[in-house]
């Protein structure tokens, strides 16, 4: 069968081969430690589960408005007012089937054939593919590792063309965990205003921040930047609700309306029970979110020092999310591997540790380790990685 050009042009996920091999080894009885998880390892807080179950028992199992229930939109608006001191009306908010689908819908509503979107690298794997599916062209800008993988306003300026429509800012970021400061965001924002670029601000990891870091949204910095920004967020990471598929966006009324119209012809609406769960997530609080955040911070602080003590490994300490993104180029090179991807495959084969190669994120010298797993397993995995590198160094 001849497939569409848009689907045929998609790049396969770089994680699929490793994931498939890890599952195969596990099925064969091997003790595989997987550090590829992009979701919290905690269950959804019980008060959220109970709220969703109650909604179903009470008969709220029918269609909702395509852009989401008014009650949930109000709760999201209240969240923005509380956390970012930003005011949004109901018609400036859309609820969707996870932040990923919100982004997909956004690019479909925004882009025409050949429109360019500037994507800082390292990047979340779906950004470029979603841009391509909308007929757009991803333009990558490399964030220097010694700048915590962040791009500068000068770099943004250098990559703007007459076809540039938008720029993506992901802070805290996946896969790096890095965050932009208020000053950095202001500089990037001024460049975006100068060239009339829409700022797509992906803030899905906003609640998972550690140490003295604090989250700042670019939309907070001025009324002009608020108008020029679409905020994307959701409950998946903050409330451990990845499978519930509830995300949302807030921004320009005409863009939100276009996204809502598109949703009405594609998904109808997010699942009603999931929306009631998300409503409880934002209107009730039993302390679970902070408990999870503290657990992630403890894991980060415990494993980071052990990671950077491993020969041939360097790592920028993340400020948010739940990923470490170490550079292992030296370790892979000393062991005789041509690419880090080959090194990752050998690590899985020999030591049964599954990590995600950085090539899929636009950073081929790095790997992504998720610390969304138990501290015991994390420490075991680091011991195996260290043993693997020492063994390879002895052989070379």
């Amino acid at each position: 069968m001849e497939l569409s050009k848009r689907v045929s042009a998609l790049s396969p996920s770089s994680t699929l081969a490793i994931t498939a091999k890890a599952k195969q080894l596990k099925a064969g009885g091997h003790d595989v430690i997987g550090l590829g998880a992009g979701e919290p390892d905690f269950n959804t807080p019980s008060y959220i589960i109970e709220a969703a179950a109650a909604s179903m028992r009470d008969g709220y199992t029918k269609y909702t408005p395509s852009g989401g229930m008014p009650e949930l939109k109000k709760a999201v608006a209240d969240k923005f007012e509380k956390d970012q001191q930003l005011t949004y009306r109901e018609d400036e908010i859309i609820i969707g089937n996870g932040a990923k689908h919100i982004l997909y819908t956004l690019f479909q509503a925004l882009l025409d054939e050949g429109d360019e979107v500037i994507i800082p690298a390292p990047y979340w794997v779906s950004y470029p593919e979603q841009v391509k599916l909308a007929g757009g062209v991803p333009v990558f800008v490399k964030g220097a590792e010694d700048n915590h993988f962040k791009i500068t306003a000068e770099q943004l300026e250098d990559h703007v063309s007459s076809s540039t429509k938008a720029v993506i800012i992901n802070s805290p970021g996946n896969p790096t965990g890095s965050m932009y400061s208020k000053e950095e965001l202001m500089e990037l924002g001024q460049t975006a205003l100068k060239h009339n670029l829409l700022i797509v601000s992906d803030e899905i990891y906003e609640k998972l921040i550690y140490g003295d870091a604090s989250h700042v949204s670019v939309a907070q910095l001025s009324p002009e930047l608020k108008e020029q920004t679409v905020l994307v967020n959701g409950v998946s990471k903050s409330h451990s609700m990845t499978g519930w598929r509830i995300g949302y966006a807030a921004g320009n009324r005409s863009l939100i309306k276009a996204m809502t119209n598109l949703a009405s012809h594609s998904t109808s609406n997010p699942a009603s029970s999931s929306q009631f769960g998300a409503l409880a997530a934002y209107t009730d609080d039993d302390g679970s979110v902070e408990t999870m955040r503290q657990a992630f911070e403890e894991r980060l602080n415990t494993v980071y020092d052990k990671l950077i003590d491993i020969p041939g490994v360097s790592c920028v300490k993340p400020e948010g999310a739940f990923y470490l993104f170490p550079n292992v180029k030296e370790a892979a090179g000393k062991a005789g591997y041509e690419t880090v991807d080959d090194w990752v495959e050998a690590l899985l084969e020999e030591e049964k540790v599954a990590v995600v190669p950085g090539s899929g994120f636009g950073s081929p010298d790095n790997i992504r380790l998720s610390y969304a797993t138990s501290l015991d397993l994390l420490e075991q995995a680091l011991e195996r990685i260290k043993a693997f590198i020492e063994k390879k160094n002895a052989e070379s």
Side-chain angles (χ1 to χ4, degrees):
M1 173 162 313
E2 186 175 352
L3 300 175
S4 69
K5 292 179 180 178
R6 73 177 69 87
V7 171
S8 300
L10 290 176
S11 301
S13 170
S14 63
T15 64
L16 285 181
I18 288 291
T19 302
K21 192 164 187 178
K23 288 181 178 179
Q24 184 181 18
L25 287 168
K26 271 192 174 182
H30 293 280
D31 179 23
V32 177
I33 300 176
L35 300 182
E39 59 183 350
D41 54 316
F42 304 99
N43 195 17
T44 304
S46 59
Y47 75 96
I48 296 172
I49 294 173
E50 290 306 315
S55 74
M56 290 184 278
R57 288 193 296 267
D58 292 343
Y60 293 104
T61 57
K62 309 300 182 184
Y63 292 125
T64 75
S66 294
M69 302 188 316
E71 307 96 305
L72 182 52
K73 287 188 176 186
K74 181 181 184 306
V76 168
D78 290 345
K79 173 251 179 285
F80 281 125
E81 186 73 50
K82 176 185 175 183
D83 292 346
Q84 280 90 28
Q85 297 76 54
L86 290 169
T87 301
Y88 290 100
R89 299 201 309 255
E90 183 180 321
D91 60 357
E92 295 174 311
I93 295 172
I94 179 174
I95 312 295
N97 296 280
K100 178 182 282 189
H101 194 260
I102 282 288
L103 285 161
Y104 175 86
T105 305
L106 166 62
F107 292 128
Q108 291 291 327
L110 179 69
L111 301 179
D112 285 319
E113 198 74 27
D115 285 342
E116 294 177 355
V117 177
I118 293 176
I119 303 176
Y123 46 77
W124 178 52
V125 294
S126 291
Y127 291 145
E129 307 312 313
Q130 291 189 349
V131 169
K132 290 190 288 185
L133 280 169
V137 178
V139 176
F140 302 114
V141 181
K142 181 71 173 177
E145 194 159 348
D146 60 8
N147 192 40
H148 289 213
F149 301 102
K150 296 178 288 187
I151 68 167
T152 65
E154 291 76 16
Q155 286 179 292
L156 177 59
E157 179 76 47
D158 290 343
H159 286 80
V160 174
S161 77
S162 59
S163 299
T164 308
K165 196 77 173 282
V167 57
I168 297 174
I169 296 176
N170 179 206
S171 178
N174 176 9
T176 66
S178 295
M179 291 176 58
Y180 286 89
S181 69
K182 178 180 179 180
E183 293 72 24
E184 291 167 333
L185 288 173
M186 181 61 81
E187 291 175 359
L188 290 169
Q190 291 305 312
T191 303
L193 288 174
K194 174 183 175 182
H195 296 283
N196 194 31
L197 307 181
L198 180 72
I199 302 169
V200 180
S201 186
D202 183 349
E203 303 178 9
I204 194 70
Y205 293 97
E206 168 207 1
K207 293 297 183 182
L208 299 177
I209 295 172
Y210 316 115
D212 296 328
S214 59
H215 177 264
V216 178
S217 172
V218 65
Q220 291 176 259
L221 302 183
S222 73
E224 294 79 14
L225 283 170
K226 176 177 181 274
E227 180 64 24
Q228 201 72 13
T229 300
V230 57
L231 295 181
V232 178
N233 209 324
V235 293
S236 292
K237 315 297 184 179
S238 57
H239 293 78
S240 195
M241 295 175 67
T242 52
W244 296 65
R245 309 314 304 135
I246 294 293
Y248 51 84
N252 177 275
R253 192 177 309 109
S254 62
L255 176 59
I256 297 299
K257 181 179 180 180
M259 293 171 66
T260 304
N261 288 341
L262 180 55
S264 73
H265 291 292
S266 55
T267 58
S268 290
N269 60 268
S272 56
S273 57
S274 293
Q275 291 189 70
F276 276 99
L279 178 61
Y282 280 146
T283 55
D284 298 321
D285 182 10
D286 68 351
S288 299
V289 172
E290 176 59 15
T291 298
M292 289 188 283
R293 190 204 66 79
Q294 289 178 7
F296 286 132
E297 185 165 24
E298 179 188 7
R299 295 172 188 176
L300 169 62
N301 291 334
T302 300
V303 302
Y304 177 76
D305 289 340
K306 294 183 179 182
L307 176 66
I308 60 175
D309 276 345
I310 298 175
V313 176
S314 62
C315 186
V316 173
K317 189 171 185 179
E319 295 178 292
F322 40 68
Y323 309 110
L324 291 157
F325 200 58
N327 187 312
V328 298
K329 181 180 181 181
E330 180 184 332
K334 282 186 176 180
Y337 294 101
E338 290 188 8
T339 68
V340 167
D341 288 51
D342 294 335
W343 183 90
V344 166
E345 187 173 353
L347 175 65
L348 176 58
E349 185 69 39
E350 298 183 30
E351 292 293 336
K352 308 302 183 290
V353 177
V355 300
V356 183
S359 55
F361 305 101
S363 190
D365 295 340
N366 299 76
I367 59 173
R368 193 187 77 174
L369 312 176
S370 169
Y371 48 94
T373 190
S374 73
L375 195 51
D376 179 59
L377 285 177
L378 285 166
E379 292 179 324
Q380 287 185 48
L382 290 183
E383 288 173 3
R384 294 186 191 185
I385 293 171
K386 183 177 181 179
F388 176 70
I389 291 176
E390 290 176 344
K391 180 178 70 174
K392 293 300 178 183
N393 286 348
E395 292 173 355
S396 62

